[in-house]
Amino acid sequence: MEANLKLRLDEKEKLADPTLYRRIVEKLQYLIITRPDISYSVNKLSQFLCTPRVTHLHAVQRVLQYVKGTSGEGIFFAPDSEVKLHAYTDSDWAACPDTRRSTTGFCIFVGISIISWKSKKQHTVLRSSAEAEYRAMANTTCEVVWLLSILKELQIEHEGPTLLYYDNKSTQHIAANLRQFLSPFNVGFREIRYRR
């Protein structure tokens, strides 16, 4: 999708026949099973299935052009990758112009292979970006704990902590107080520092 594109429910021109839009988005939802790179875009576009507008159809066509241009992309599972989980999480505070709800996104890797990802609108309206980031971290931690339990059930050894990467200083202070509670689950935290 275009950078900083804000799609709204009340755009001007309605589609005469929304069937095409719905079919394309439905097929794209199937495609995100193997294409995590379009997960965010498909999540956004599926929020307008009831009354799609012309601008929504243009955004879908842009996603289709991207998929066509990157048809060889997909998930790669390296056979020699070590069994070590690490996760990345982020949140876009009050990103939805209609509901003012935040969007959460995460991806979890085993070695260099992605195994779990999600992009989803949060359930409630939050008061600060720190709260949105914290909820994103909490959701990602739940997924990590679940994946660690699956590895344990499959009798696969996982050495050391699972690192969770994030990019919010306020959340770092909140997470520092939680380390004592999460240490039994073997989850570690690390802040991502961006170079300017």
Side-chain angles (χ1 to χ4, degrees):
M1 291 180 69
E2 291 178 40
N4 301 320
L5 177 67
K6 298 286 185 187
L7 297 173
R8 305 180 70 92
L9 286 170
D10 58 352
E11 297 282 342
K12 294 179 183 175
E13 196 176 341
K14 282 186 180 180
L15 285 176
D17 183 19
T19 310
L20 176 65
Y21 179 86
R22 291 177 182 149
R23 282 189 189 155
I24 294 172
V25 172
E26 179 183 298
K27 289 174 172 59
L28 287 173
Q29 286 175 338
Y30 240 171
L31 189 59
I32 64 172
I33 294 171
T34 58
R35 294 288 303 264
D37 54 336
I38 62 169
S39 179
Y40 173 80
S41 303
V42 174
N43 173 283
K44 285 291 177 196
L45 294 170
S46 42
Q47 295 174 20
F48 307 105
L49 290 174
C50 290
T51 55
R53 311 294 174 141
V54 173
T55 54
H56 304 150
L57 184 61
H58 292 313
V60 165
Q61 290 168 343
R62 186 175 172 101
V63 172
L64 288 176
Q65 288 172 347
Y66 171 77
V67 169
K68 183 180 179 184
T70 58
S71 60
E73 298 291 321
I75 299 175
F76 174 72
F77 294 107
D80 57 347
S81 181
E82 65 176 336
V83 180
K84 183 129 181 84
L85 287 177
H86 61 281
Y88 297 87
T89 185
D90 200 9
S91 178
D92 192 1
W93 180 51
C96 179
D98 297 313
T99 63
R100 304 307 298 163
R101 288 176 12 199
S102 305
T103 302
T104 293
F106 69 78
C107 54
I108 302 171
F109 293 81
V110 171
I112 61 168
S113 303
I114 189 168
I115 58 165
S116 181
W117 59 91
K118 182 184 272 188
S119 175
K120 184 178 181 182
K121 198 187 293 187
Q122 293 181 352
H123 297 290
T124 57
V125 177
L126 304 173
R127 295 182 187 143
S128 68
S129 62
E131 189 178 357
E133 293 278 350
Y134 175 72
R135 285 184 183 244
M137 282 179 62
N139 289 336
T140 308
T141 303
C142 288
E143 185 80 6
V144 166
V145 169
W146 178 71
L147 288 169
L148 287 171
S149 70
I150 288 177
L151 290 176
K152 186 177 180 181
E153 189 174 316
L154 294 172
Q155 298 176 353
I156 298 173
E157 285 292 321
H158 184 270
E159 297 288 325
T162 300
L163 294 179
L164 175 59
Y165 296 93
Y166 57 95
D167 64 350
N168 187 290
K169 201 69 161 171
S170 303
T171 310
Q172 179 182 7
H173 296 299
I174 295 169
N177 294 329
L178 292 177
R179 289 183 188 183
Q180 61 187 349
F181 300 112
L182 291 176
S183 58
F185 296 109
N186 211 12
V187 177
F189 298 92
R190 181 167 294 170
E191 180 187 7
I192 299 174
R193 295 183 187 266
Y194 293 109
R195 293 183 183 161
R196 296 183 193 261

